[in-house]
C-alpha cells in the first residue's frame, strides 16, 4: 500500500507541476511511466524482519516457559506485561518517528506476546476454559491492533488465528458456524 500511495502522490505532483509549467506533458508522461516501471516487489528485508518478529515473539514464550517454575506469580506477570507493553510501546514510537515497516514488525511481536500472555496467565492462575475461546480472544486483540495501525502482517496473523479458531472449534464440538469468519 505504501507504493500505491507514492504513485498516487507522484501522479498528483506531476499533474500540478505540469499545470504550473515546470514540466512538459511529455516529461510528465515519461516520469510517470518510469515510476510505474520501477515498482519494487516485496523486499527481502521485509520478509526477514517479519520472520525475525515471529521468532522474537516465540523467544519470549520460550524464555518464560523455560523459567516458569523459578518465577513467582508477580514476577511472571511483570515479565509478561512488560514484554507486551514494550512491544506495543516500541510500535508506537516507531510509527510516530516515521518507521512504519519496523512498527509493523514490533506490532507483530506484540501480537504473538499477547497470545502468550493469554495462555500463560491462564496457566499461572489455573483458569480453565474452552481453548478456542482463548484463540478468539487472541485473534480479536491482534485484529484490533492491526486495524489501529493498518498493519497487513498483523491482519494476516489475526485471520490465521480466526481460521485456527474455526478449525479447532469445528473439530472439537461443531459449535461455530464457518460464516463467523466473515465477521473478522
Amino acid at each position: 500500500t505504501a507504493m500505491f500511495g507514492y504513485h498516487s502522490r507522484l501522479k498528483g505532483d506531476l499533474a500540478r507541476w505540469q499545470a504550473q509549467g515546470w514540466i512538459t506533458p511529455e516529461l510528465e508522461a515519461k516520469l510517470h511511466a518510469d515510476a510505474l516501471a520501477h515498482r519494487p516487489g516485496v523486499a527481502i528485508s521485509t520478509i526477514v524482519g517479519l520472520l525475525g518478529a515471529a521468532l522474537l515473539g516465540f523467544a519470549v514464550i520460550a524464555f518464560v516457559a523455560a523459567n516458569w517454575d523459578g518465577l513467582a506469580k508477580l514476577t511472571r506477570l511483570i515479565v509478561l506485561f512488560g514484554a507486551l507493553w514494550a512491544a506495543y510501546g516500541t510500535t508506537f514510537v516507531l510509527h510516530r518517528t516515521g518507521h512504519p515497516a519496523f512498527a509493523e514488525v514490533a506490532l507483530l511481536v506484540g501480537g504473538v506476546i499477547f497470545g502468550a500472555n493469554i495462555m500463560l496467565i491462564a496457566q499461572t492462575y489455573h483458569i480453565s476454559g474452552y481453548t478456542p475461546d482463548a484463540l478468539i480472544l487472541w485473534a480479536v486483540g491482534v485484529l484490533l491492533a492491526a486495524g489501529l495501525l493498518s498493519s497487513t502482517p498483523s491482519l494476516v496473523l489475526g485471520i490465521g488465528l480466526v481460521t485456527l479458531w474455526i478449525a479447532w472449534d469445528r473439530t472439537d464440538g461443531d459449535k461455530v458456524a464457518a460464516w463467523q469468519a466473515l465477521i473478522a
Side-chain angles (χ1 to χ4, degrees):
T1 61
M3 286 305 293
F4 177 73
Y6 166 74
H7 287 288
S8 297
R9 191 172 59 251
L10 179 63
K11 187 176 180 181
D13 288 342
L14 289 173
R16 187 180 76 248
W17 296 337
Q18 194 274 329
Q20 291 175 347
W22 294 350
I23 60 174
T24 64
E26 295 80 22
L27 181 57
E28 175 189 359
K30 286 180 183 178
L31 290 172
H32 190 256
D34 181 66
L36 289 175
H38 290 93
R39 285 186 180 189
V42 176
I44 189 71
S45 60
T46 302
I47 294 169
V48 170
L50 293 174
L51 289 174
L55 291 174
L56 186 60
F58 291 124
V60 170
I61 295 169
F63 171 77
V64 173
N67 298 297
W68 198 249
D69 293 332
L71 297 175
K73 286 183 179 182
L74 180 60
T75 306
R76 292 176 191 172
L77 287 178
I78 291 170
V79 168
L80 292 174
F81 282 111
L84 180 67
W85 287 109
Y88 286 143
T90 302
T91 300
F92 177 77
V93 168
L94 289 170
H95 186 67
R96 297 284 287 178
T97 57
H99 297 93
F102 292 122
E104 288 197 14
V105 169
L107 185 66
L108 194 60
V109 170
V112 172
I113 293 172
F114 178 66
N117 282 2
I118 292 169
M119 306 307 173
L120 294 172
I121 289 171
Q123 182 181 0
T124 297
Y125 292 100
H126 306 291
I127 300 169
S128 61
Y130 191 55
T131 305
D133 291 344
L135 279 172
I136 196 62
L137 177 64
W138 184 8
V140 167
V142 168
L143 290 171
L144 179 64
L148 290 174
L149 193 62
S150 298
S151 171
T152 302
S154 291
L155 177 65
V156 170
L157 174 61
I159 291 172
L161 291 170
V162 169
T163 304
L164 181 61
W165 167 65
I166 290 170
W168 194 320
D169 209 39
R170 298 286 292 172
T171 59
D172 199 26
D174 200 30
K175 295 181 181 181
V176 175
W179 63 266
Q180 290 176 332
L182 297 175
I183 295 170

